[in-house]
Amino acid sequence: MAYFSKHYHNPGTAPGTLVGKADGGRPVNIRVLDYTGEEVEEVSLANAADCRAYLARDSNTWVQVNGQADPDTLRNLGDLFDLHDLALEDVLNTGQRPKIELYDDQLFIIAAMPLYDGENLEIVQISLFVGRNYLICLCPLDEDPFEPVRKRMRMPNNRRFTTRDVDYLLYALLDLIIDSAFPVLEQFGYQLEEMETDLLERPNQQTLSRIHGLKRELLLLRRVLWPQRELLTTLMRTEDELINAGTQVYFRDCHDHSVQIIELLESFREMATSMLDIYLSSISQRTNETMRLLTIIATIFIPLTFVVGIYGMNFEHPDSPWAMPELGWYYGYPMVWFVMMGITACLLWFFRRRGWI
């Protein structure tokens, strides 16, 4: 996971400049879902200019752009729907902070959708333009993550979408984006449980690396999910004519989900931090246990070394009263072994009584 993943223009570039990435990005796929109170029409378009036919209709239009949008596609959408140049620049320069911008007759929203495959965490920037009777959603992914919303809209007699304005469609998309954090946090929760077991049973360097990696990913999630909650707070309290009072109730529910996600995220971050402390304490405890064992072994061998050192001097003289008489004893050698084993047994008994072993 890169520490810095934002695409940006060179310093000094004029505001609103659209410059594509050198690699060209993913191919663009444009789909339009046009709906009224009676019917839902869904088509795929070859280019952005084909959306013009739907603007004259008395219906609501959802334009979904999947893949990395190139500057030409963004310019065509901007000319057709009168999108602001600064907003188009934010769409092209991915890695933006979640936010909401209010223009004359238009809302521009950037949301962050977290995706996790078990190894890598990806934050996908979703850009939304909301007008009186249209919604434009730009997603850099090849596959459309909003297929569950489309499936609900295709259902017959689904009055929630067909009889409401575009702001309810905005809620449905934001609700899916916000709730996508729940399965990500669920996988993080499983990892925390596994790491907790490893810490108690077999902490090692790999466990430490996993803890650091998880802390970094949780920090990245926090960086994008906190401003996303502020975005929903603004939608709840905005008095713009594009947001109906009846839809704000649904935005409050979406905001409640965001608060739950933040609380889970903060709990997981605290658990990861405490696990790091537990790991360091566990390693320190293991080091102390090892040092204690080595100290006990060294303490046992100190008197034994003293005994064998004395009898290894071999001072023997038949006429000297200061010679070592034990060197001539018949049972001298086994007697020394008996003394050394007795010293070892006494030391082990003393250590066990003190609770050191």
Side-chain angles (χ1 to χ4, degrees):
M1 183 182 66
Y3 285 102
F4 185 83
S5 58
K6 186 181 186 301
H7 177 66
Y8 61 95
H9 293 331
N10 294 327
T13 304
T17 302
L18 302 180
V19 180
K21 295 182 179 179
D23 59 1
R26 301 182 177 102
V28 177
N29 179 24
I30 303 176
R31 300 174 64 185
V32 170
L33 192 148
D34 191 80
Y35 61 97
T36 62
E38 290 77 23
E39 61 179 356
V40 176
E41 179 183 353
E42 188 174 2
V43 295
S44 297
L45 303 181
N47 52 67
D50 295 338
C51 298
R52 188 181 304 274
Y54 295 92
L55 292 178
R57 296 186 179 184
D58 186 17
S59 61
N60 294 325
T61 304
W62 172 15
V63 180
Q64 178 67 38
V65 181
N66 290 326
Q68 187 63 53
D70 56 276
D72 293 335
T73 300
L74 292 179
R75 290 191 189 97
N76 291 334
L77 287 173
D79 295 339
L80 187 60
F81 292 94
D82 193 23
L83 307 180
H84 201 281
D85 292 341
L86 293 177
L88 295 176
E89 181 182 356
D90 288 342
V91 173
L92 194 61
N93 296 339
T94 56
Q96 299 287 334
R97 182 178 185 269
K99 63 179 181 178
I100 179 171
E101 297 286 349
L102 304 177
Y103 295 105
D104 294 337
D105 56 349
Q106 192 178 95
L107 291 177
F108 173 58
I109 297 173
I110 289 181
M113 173 183 288
L115 300 175
Y116 189 64
D117 59 1
E119 296 182 357
N120 300 312
L121 175 66
E122 181 181 6
I123 304 298
V124 180
Q125 174 179 312
I126 308 296
S127 305
L128 302 164
F129 292 91
V130 182
R132 188 170 300 278
N133 63 338
Y134 66 86
L135 184 147
I136 304 173
C137 178
L138 298 105
C139 174
L141 298 176
D142 295 331
E143 297 182 1
D144 187 6
F146 303 108
E147 184 61 29
V149 179
R150 294 179 180 275
K151 185 179 298 185
R152 287 157 53 193
M153 297 181 71
R154 297 188 192 109
M155 295 175 59
N157 301 323
N158 190 349
R159 309 294 292 176
R160 287 183 179 272
F161 285 98
T162 57
T163 60
R164 293 178 181 270
D165 294 333
V166 180
D167 57 346
Y168 186 82
L169 175 60
L170 172 64
Y171 152 73
L173 299 184
L174 287 177
D175 183 61
L176 188 147
I177 293 172
I178 297 298
D179 289 350
S180 64
F182 281 115
V184 174
L185 291 177
E186 183 180 18
Q187 294 189 59
F188 284 160
Y190 292 148
Q191 290 190 22
L192 285 170
E193 292 179 4
E194 294 177 358
M195 286 188 288
E196 188 176 21
T197 303
D198 292 342
L199 282 175
L200 297 176
E201 296 179 355
R202 50 186 183 281
N204 50 36
Q205 189 66 30
Q206 184 179 4
T207 305
L208 180 61
S209 300
R210 292 179 61 191
I211 293 174
H212 279 298
L214 184 60
K215 285 190 63 178
R216 189 174 64 171
E217 290 172 341
L218 291 174
L219 182 62
L220 175 61
L221 266 181
R222 185 182 187 276
R223 183 174 64 85
V224 298
L225 294 183
W226 269 97
Q228 196 147 270
R229 188 178 69 169
E230 299 173 2
L231 183 156
L232 294 169
T233 302
T234 303
L235 282 174
M236 285 169 46
R237 300 173 180 175
T238 185
E239 296 180 356
D240 193 276
E241 59 183 5
L242 294 175
I243 304 297
N244 298 320
T247 311
Q248 288 181 334
V249 177
Y250 296 95
F251 284 125
R252 286 202 296 268
D253 178 72
C254 196
H255 178 268
D256 181 63
H257 292 181
S258 179
V259 171
Q260 295 179 35
I261 290 171
I262 293 295
E263 290 176 348
L264 279 173
L265 178 61
E266 291 299 322
S267 298
F268 286 172
R269 291 185 67 229
E270 292 178 2
M271 290 176 64
T273 301
S274 64
M275 283 184 179
L276 182 59
D277 295 337
I278 293 174
Y279 173 82
L280 297 176
S281 300
S282 176
I283 295 299
S284 178
Q285 180 66 21
R286 289 175 60 186
T287 303
N288 293 337
E289 292 289 341
T290 303
M291 292 301 298
R292 183 171 63 178
L293 178 61
L294 294 178
T295 302
I296 291 174
I297 294 175
T299 303
I300 291 175
F301 275 91
I302 286 175
L304 304 184
T305 305
F306 175 76
V307 172
V308 298
I310 291 177
Y311 288 99
M313 292 186 291
N314 297 323
F315 288 113
E316 182 179 10
H317 193 280
D319 298 329
S320 174
W322 302 102
M324 299 176 67
E326 296 90 346
L327 295 178
W329 288 2
Y330 186 81
Y331 295 103
Y333 178 70
M335 181 64 69
V336 171
W337 271 108
F338 177 78
V339 171
M340 289 193 298
M341 287 188 293
I343 292 174
T344 302
C346 291
L347 289 174
L348 290 174
W349 172 82
F350 177 75
F351 294 153
R352 181 174 295 276
R353 183 176 181 183
R354 297 297 297 270
W356 295 347
I357 58 174

